Amino acid sequence: RYDFSAVNEAVYALGSRRIAVELPGKRPGHRQFRLPGQVSTEVRETNFGDGGLGSSIWDAGMGLSIWLCEHSNVVRDRRVLELGSGVGLAGLVSAQTGSLCTVLSDMGQVDEAEASILASQMPQEEQPQRLLSNLVHNADINGLGDSRCEIRRIDWNQIDGSEEKFAVVIGSDLIYDRADAPALAGAVLAHTAP
């Protein structure tokens, strides 16, 4: 049995140290975190077949989430875009720490017409199938399924100049292959407000 009061006391005793404490998930397959500033966030991770590289929390995503809790002024009262959200931890924290709206984005599932194009560019086993529906789930379980969080499919290779601009663009552990760096740079530039 888990002693929540002991965990809370330990978190308070650590004072201003930059940490996150993982608590037992409320649901099977979910992870719950207590972050600085009393921010509590729960996410469901998926299997690799459903989410590819975005199926789980990566260390840099946790680091960005802690940083956002300590620097909430960066996102407060601003529209924020998280590129390559994966399970969405940092984007959810952005919404919880005061953004006007945070858009969580990833490649996600595609329609049939896009699937044939994508299949020619990326092997089927590398295509994330359920990232976007998992992002919707994670926003909902954190009470952010309203106007504070939006979920969108953004393909960095499909930048056309008409992209919505955001005051703040965040992301962590965004590329695994160096070949993706130019597309990522283009997406950041295309979505960042002047």
Side-chain angles (χ1 to χ4, degrees), residues 11-149:
V11 170
Y12 291 123
L14 290 169
S16 63
R17 289 187 184 178
R18 293 180 256 187
I19 65 157
V21 175
E22 184 165 2
L23 304 170
K26 296 176 184 174
R27 301 164 183 87
H30 290 68
R31 296 176 71 188
Q32 183 175 356
F33 300 94
R34 170 75 55 83
L35 296 143
Q38 300 303 308
V39 174
S40 182
T41 306
E42 183 178 4
V43 295
R44 176 178 64 190
E45 294 181 312
T46 64
N47 64 53
F48 187 81
D50 287 342
L53 294 171
S55 62
S56 61
I57 297 169
W58 291 72
D59 291 344
M62 180 59 69
L64 177 57
S65 298
I66 292 168
W67 187 88
L68 287 167
C69 287
E70 294 187 325
H71 299 90
S72 59
N73 59 307
V74 172
V75 297
R76 188 173 298 118
D77 298 325
R78 294 187 172 121
R79 287 187 49 79
V80 177
L81 169 64
E82 182 185 23
L83 291 172
S85 297
V87 297
L89 181 64
L92 295 167
V93 169
S94 170
Q96 290 173 315
T97 57
S99 72
L100 285 177
C101 176
T102 298
V103 174
L104 307 174
S105 71
D106 218 307
M107 282 273 297
Q109 195 166 10
V110 296
D111 63 30
E112 286 184 36
E114 291 176 305
S116 63
I117 295 168
L118 186 59
S120 68
Q121 299 170 352
M122 181 186 297
Q124 177 69 31
E125 64 274 7
E126 293 178 21
Q127 296 177 28
Q129 298 300 311
R130 294 188 179 87
L131 279 178
L132 298 182
S133 62
N134 193 50
L135 285 171
V136 169
H137 171 81
N138 287 340
D140 286 345
I141 64 171
N142 285 283
L144 300 169
D146 54 17
S147 62
R148 291 181 294 167
C149 266

